Every structure is written in structure tokens, then in C-alpha cells.
């Protein structure tokens, strides 16, 4: 049974304690937490339904947090920025919040938590029913036409169908997410509004995004399309050990999505195709045990056959292991442990899971996410320059930032 502390002191000229623009992960969490604290909010959402990205997340199953999330797995102009929010709203808070409403988590891999039902709809339903119980108003299908900054708050003008309306509130929360998947309603609303107010924006780019290979390499990758190999993908900043997936246009798979957030056009990264093992030592052993076997046969024990075939481009796969020269052994070690990739680009916002960059953290209080220059204005979720790794980290930021803002409305 919910105990509501309704705030009945809203100034007669105000429509709510706060207006939240964007009913995604951050906006929904903010509305619900504000409701617990007796704050009345109005949520304005562009789509006809809230939580579109929650619904498609994790392949429709929603990887809603990560058991191992700390501030370490986030990219931001200020690596300390997330610390306060993550202290105020922890992974344990996310887990117990959803458990309270009947969603138990199941860890799939690497700390990634999904609802036991494997259904992202259950996550969205928690918020829609809580918004209703708490009396928070959700207005979908709106088009925001203007925002005025008043002396005592904000006036948000919007159209819904043929009707226009102005809402006023002392506080305004912008939680309109990032640029990925425009066909799902993603807009640059937060960035445009922030720019208009003279706020700094950290350069934006697609992140957690597949990478493309063009030119004479393209065919080689295309021939391997559909094959997945467990690798260590690294550059000067970071390393990830997960699968890579070859595609007809380049590389995808979790390890590639992860490194893409740390990659810039023109840079090369390294793939260790046999992480944690030493190919030279394995080959020396093979020479002793089974020297007459072909290098291709040896590789077939480690990799998909198509991959072995493709290695013929670089390595003498049809040679017997015992007859490999020292130079060939070195070349094998080089290719297997230090395979260099120079992507041509990325698949862009149509395929990216998140946006890197966003509202510069120097514009916001890390404790409240309130804009330093415009009191009463808050930015949360993906529109802020905080980008998490693949694996539930980005939702943890969205929930935490929504909670922190609510606590300060
Ligand atoms: P979010 O995008 O959730 O919400 C923003 C809301 O604002 C949307 O409802 C949008 O329609 C609305 N809006 C935009 N412009 C507006 C305007 N002008 N007026 C009114 N409303 C407007 N993360 C994770 O942790 N685990 C996962 O499993 C996945 N999986 C995943 C899969 C795919 C395919 C994608 C694209 C992304 C993920 N993510 C993820 C990332 C995750 O979805 C993302 O980080 C959060 O949804 C961000 O939450 P926000 O609330 O900031 O934005």
C-alpha cells in the first residue's frame, strides 16, 4: 500500500512542482521518486508510449543494471562526476526497487542483470503503474514548441494534435536521452536547448556501435561474416575480453561495441585472437606431439573453420607445424596476438546503443544535477556527458540520475 504525501501547496499559477521532458528510463524514475516525496510532476513524452528504448533494450529483455557497476565503467569529461549520484542511488537500490515491484533479477553474464521474465515490458509497466498510483501525469504524443525561463520557473509550450498548451512549473527536468535510433523518437532536444542557453556541450558521437571496414580489407571481413571469436580487444586506453563478430561490412559483437566508445576515426586498435594463451607455446607443444599436422588443422581446434581458411591470407596454414620457420612462428604470434584493425568508421546513430558526450558536466552540480547557471533546471540520463559500458551500466546511470534529480525537486 502506497502512502502518498501529496504536496497541495503548488502556487496557483503553477501546474506542477516540476515538468519532466522525456519519459524514458531517467524521466520515469524521476517521476516515480518525486511522487514518493510528495512532488507532483507532469511528464511530457514525444512518443505515443513511454520507455521506447527500455522496451528494445537487451534484445527486448532489458539488461537493467550491472552487479559490478562502479564509477570506473563510465566515460565522461569528468571521471569523478558520477560518484555522487552512484552513492545516492546504488546498484543494490536498483535491484531492491524492482524487487519491491515483483521483478527479480537474473544474472546472464559479467554481472548483467535481466528480469527473470526476460521481458522489458515488465520494467516499463512498473513505472507506468507507479506513475498512475502516485498521481503523476504522463502526457504522450507531444511536440514541445518552446521553453521560457521565467523569474519563478519555466513555461513549456507544447502541441498535442491540433491543440497547444502552456504548462508552468518552478522546476524543469530535461531527460530526452541521446541521439541513437532516431526512428524510435531520439532527438537532439537536450543538446539544442542547452546550446541555446549557452551551456557547454562535450562533443557527441555514436558509442557502443559496430565498426565498418572498407577498401581492400572489406572482402576479407565479409567472407567471415557470421563468425564469432572470443578475443581481447584493446587500445592505449582500455581492453575488453568478449566475443567479436565478423559481418559483411566490418566488425560487431560485444568486444567491438565496448572498444568503439574509446575509439576515434583514424585510430588503430589491437585484437588478441587467443587471449590468455600463448600461441607460440601451443605450437611448440604441437611440434612435439603432432608435428606433421597442418597449421590449418591446429587452428581448426581453436577457431571456426571459415576463420582458419581466411587466415590463409596472412599465414602458411597448409604447412606442417614441424616445418614452420622461426620467422613464420613470429608472424603467427604477431597475427594471432596483435591483429591490427583500422576501421573506416562506425555504423552511426542508427545502430549505436548510446551517445558519447552531451551536456558538459562542468555545467551541472554532480550532487543534484541542477544546472549551475540556471537554477531549477536539471539534466539527467543519456543527454549528459556520461557514457557507460555495454552491460546494464547505462540504465544504472539513467535510474541514478533520475533519482538524484527527484530528490532535489
Ligand atoms: P531514453 O532514450 O530512455 O528516454 C528519452 C525519452 O525522451 C524517450 O522516451 C524519447 O522519446 C523522449 N524524447 C526525446 N526527445 C523528446 C522531445 N523533444 N520531447 C519529448 N520527449 C522527447 N542500456 C542498458 O543499460 N542496458 C541495455 O540492455 C541496453 N540496451 C540497449 C539497446 C538498444 C538498441 C539501445 C538503442 C540502447 C540500449 N541501452 C541499454 C541504452 C539505454 O537504452 C539508454 O542509455 C537509456 O535508455 C537512457 O535513458 P534516458 O532516460 O536518458 O533516455
Amino acid at each position: 500500500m502506497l502512502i502518498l504525501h501529496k504536496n497541495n501547496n503548488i502556487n496557483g499559477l503553477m501546474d506542477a512542482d516540476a515538468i519532466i521532458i522525456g519519459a524514458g528510463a531517467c524521466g520515469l524514475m524521476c517521476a516515480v521518486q518525486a511522487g514518493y516525496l510528495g512532488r507532483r510532476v507532469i511528464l511530457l513524452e514525444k512518443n505515443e508510449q513511454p520507455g521506447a528504448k527500455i522496451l528494445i533494450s537487451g534484445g527486448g529483455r532489458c539488461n537493467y543494471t550491472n552487479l559490478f557497476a562502479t564509477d570506473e565503467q563510465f566515460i565522461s569529461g569528468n571521471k569523478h562526476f558520477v560518484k555522487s549520484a552512484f552513492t545516492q542511488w546504488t546498484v543494490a537500490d536498483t535491484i531492491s526497487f524492482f524487487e519491491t515491484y515483483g521483478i527479480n533479477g537474473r544474472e546472464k553474464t559479467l554481472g548483467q542483470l535481466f528480469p527473470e521474465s526476460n521481458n522489458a515490458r515488465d520494467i516499463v509497466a512498473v513505472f507506468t503503474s507507479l506513475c498512475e498510483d502516485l498521481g503523476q501525469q504522463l502526457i504522450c504524443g507531444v511536440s514541445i514548441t518552446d521553453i521560457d525561463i521565467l523569474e519563478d520557473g519555466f513555461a513549456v509550450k507544447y502541441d498535442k494534435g491540433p491543440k497547444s498548451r502552456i504548462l508552468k512549473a518552478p522546476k524543469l527536468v530535461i531527460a530526452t536521452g541521446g541521439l541513437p535510433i532516431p526512428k524510435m523518437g531520439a532527438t537532439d532536444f537536450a543538446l539544442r536547448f542547452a546550446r541555446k542557453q549557452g551551456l557547454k556541450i562535450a562533443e557527441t558521437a555514436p558509442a557502443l556501435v559496430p565498426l565498418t571496414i572498407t577498401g581492400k580489407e572489406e572482402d576479407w571481413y565479409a567472407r567471415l561474416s557470421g563468425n564469432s571469436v572470443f578475443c581481447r580487444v584493446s587500445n592505449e586506453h582500455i581492453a575488453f575480453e568478449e566475443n567479436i563478430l565478423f559481418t559483411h561490412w566490418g566488425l560487431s559483437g560485444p568486444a567491438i561495441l565496448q572498444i568503439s566508445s574509446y575509439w576515434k576515426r583514424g585510430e588503430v586498435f589491437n585484437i588478441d585472437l587467443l587471449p590468455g594463451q600463448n600461441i607460440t607455446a601451443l605450437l611448440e607443444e604441437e611440434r612435439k606431439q603432432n608435428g606433421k599436422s597442418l597449421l590449418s588443422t591446429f587452428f581448426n581446434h581453436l577457431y571456426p573453420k571459415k576463420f582458419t581458411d581466411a587466415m590463409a591470407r596472412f599465414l602458411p596454414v597448409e604447412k606442417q607445424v614441424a616445418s614452420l620457420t622461426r620467422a613464420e612462428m613470429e608472424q603467427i604470434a604477431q597475427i594471432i596476438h596483435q591483429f591490427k584493425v583500422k576501421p573506416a568508421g562506425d555504423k552511426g546513430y542508427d545502430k549505436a546503443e548510446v551517445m558519447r558526450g552531451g551536456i558538459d558536466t562542468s555545467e551541472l552540480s554532480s550532487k543534484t544535477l541542477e544546472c549551475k547557471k540556471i537554477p531549477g533546471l536539471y539534466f539527467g540520463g543519456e543527454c549528459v556527458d556520461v557514457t557507460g559500458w555495454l552491460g546494464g551500466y547505462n540504465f544504472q546511470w539513467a535510474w541514478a540520475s533520475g533519482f538524484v534529480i527527484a530528490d532535489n525537486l
Side-chain angles (χ1 to χ4, degrees):
M1 161 96 171
L2 289 166
I3 300 168
L4 305 186
H5 306 279
K6 282 263 162 68
N7 181 352
N8 296 317
N9 299 324
I10 299 171
N11 178 319
L13 297 172
M14 297 289 172
D15 296 287
D17 291 305
I19 296 165
I20 302 174
I21 305 182
C26 173
L28 288 167
M29 181 59 97
C30 187
V32 163
Q33 296 295 342
Y36 292 144
L37 297 171
R39 300 276 179 272
R40 204 152 64 74
V41 306
I42 300 175
L43 264 164
L44 296 177
E45 167 57 46
K46 175 179 178 288
N47 286 342
E48 293 301 331
Q49 299 292 329
K53 279 207 187 146
I54 302 175
L55 291 175
I56 60 158
S57 67
R61 296 172 307 164
C62 187
N63 175 196
Y64 65 93
T65 191
N66 192 294
L67 296 174
F68 309 131
T70 68
D71 52 287
E72 301 280 320
Q73 301 87 23
F74 291 83
I75 306 166
S76 170
N78 173 2
K79 65 185 170 73
H80 303 293
F81 185 77
V82 296
K83 285 182 180 168
S84 174
F86 286 161
T87 310
Q88 296 178 63
W89 181 266
T90 62
V91 172
D93 289 326
T94 300
I95 294 169
S96 74
F97 171 82
F98 285 111
E99 276 176 1
T100 305
Y101 299 104
I103 295 188
N104 294 314
R106 187 188 292 160
E107 183 188 354
K108 287 266 149 73
T109 173
L110 302 171
Q112 299 168 8
L113 221 61
F114 292 78
E116 247 174 8
S117 65
N118 270 328
N119 194 344
R121 289 192 178 282
D122 295 346
I123 298 278
V124 176
V126 166
F127 292 107
T128 44
S129 68
L130 278 174
C131 278
E132 210 177 308
D133 291 349
L134 292 160
Q136 304 296 45
Q137 202 184 343
L138 170 62
I139 308 175
C140 290
V142 305
S143 168
I144 312 284
T145 53
D146 202 7
I147 297 177
D148 280 341
I149 301 176
L150 314 170
E151 275 194 358
D152 56 350
F154 302 84
V156 178
K157 297 182 191 166
Y158 70 89
D159 294 341
K160 182 169 164 65
K163 289 190 182 146
S164 296
R165 206 182 151 192
I166 302 180
L167 291 174
K168 289 185 185 159
K171 306 276 176 102
L172 176 64
V173 181
I174 310 273
T176 49
L179 297 171
I181 326 280
K183 66 172 191 249
M184 302 221 59
T187 70
D188 64 349
F189 183 87
L191 302 174
R192 258 188 300 125
F193 179 64
R195 255 185 223 115
K196 201 171 155 195
Q197 304 311 320
L199 305 181
K200 269 192 279 173
I201 309 283
E203 190 186 348
T204 54
L208 299 182
V209 63
L211 299 173
T212 58
I213 307 282
T214 55
K216 51 185 190 323
E217 306 287 300
E218 194 176 345
D219 268 3
W220 187 80
Y221 284 85
R223 254 181 285 131
L224 280 170
S225 181
N227 284 279
S228 178
V229 178
F230 183 75
C231 294
R232 181 174 203 269
V233 181
S234 64
N235 63 10
E236 57 183 316
H237 309 291
I238 195 110
F240 294 98
E241 279 189 21
E242 282 182 77
N243 281 341
I244 65 167
L245 174 69
F246 292 89
T247 72
H248 55 274
W249 37 257
L251 287 168
S252 188
I256 295 298
L257 300 187
Q258 298 280 34
I259 202 85
S260 74
S261 301
Y262 293 85
W263 175 82
K264 290 208 174 82
R265 208 170 278 260
E267 288 179 0
V268 173
F269 60 81
N270 192 68
I271 301 184
D272 182 342
L273 293 155
L274 202 61
Q277 297 189 68
N278 182 333
I279 190 76
T280 311
L282 292 180
L283 279 170
E284 293 296 358
E285 191 56 31
E286 185 76 355
R287 267 184 209 268
K288 283 186 216 150
Q289 306 292 333
N290 206 6
K292 285 192 175 159
S293 73
L294 300 179
L295 182 59
S296 57
T297 313
F298 171 80
F299 273 165
N300 281 338
H301 293 301
L302 300 172
Y303 302 112
K305 172 150 184 349
K306 256 196 174 175
F307 184 80
T308 304
D309 295 346
M311 277 293 150
R313 180 176 166 203
F314 310 105
L315 302 174
V317 291
E318 291 313 319
K319 248 184 132 173
Q320 287 183 341
V321 171
S323 64
L324 291 168
T325 64
R326 182 167 295 277
E328 285 166 339
M329 290 284 278
E330 277 169 16
Q331 194 189 1
I332 294 168
Q334 180 82 18
I335 292 286
I336 296 299
H337 292 303
Q338 288 178 57
F339 191 85
K340 302 281 184 248
V341 181
K342 187 176 180 185
D346 60 55
K347 290 294 273 181
Y349 285 116
D350 284 346
K351 298 285 175 203
E353 286 206 4
V354 282
M355 172 181 85
R356 200 170 59 190
I359 315 297
D360 199 288
T361 54
S362 65
E363 301 286 4
L364 308 175
S365 153
S366 62
K367 290 194 180 67
T368 63
L369 299 179
E370 187 171 16
C371 180
K372 290 176 186 167
K373 293 176 188 149
I374 308 172
L377 174 66
Y378 299 78
F379 289 92
E382 196 179 324
C383 65
V384 178
D385 175 27
V386 170
T387 309
W389 287 3
L390 184 78
Y393 298 95
N394 285 294
F395 277 135
Q396 184 58 27
W397 166 244
W399 314 134
S401 54
F403 171 83
V404 165
I405 295 170
D407 219 18
N408 288 280
L409 293 179

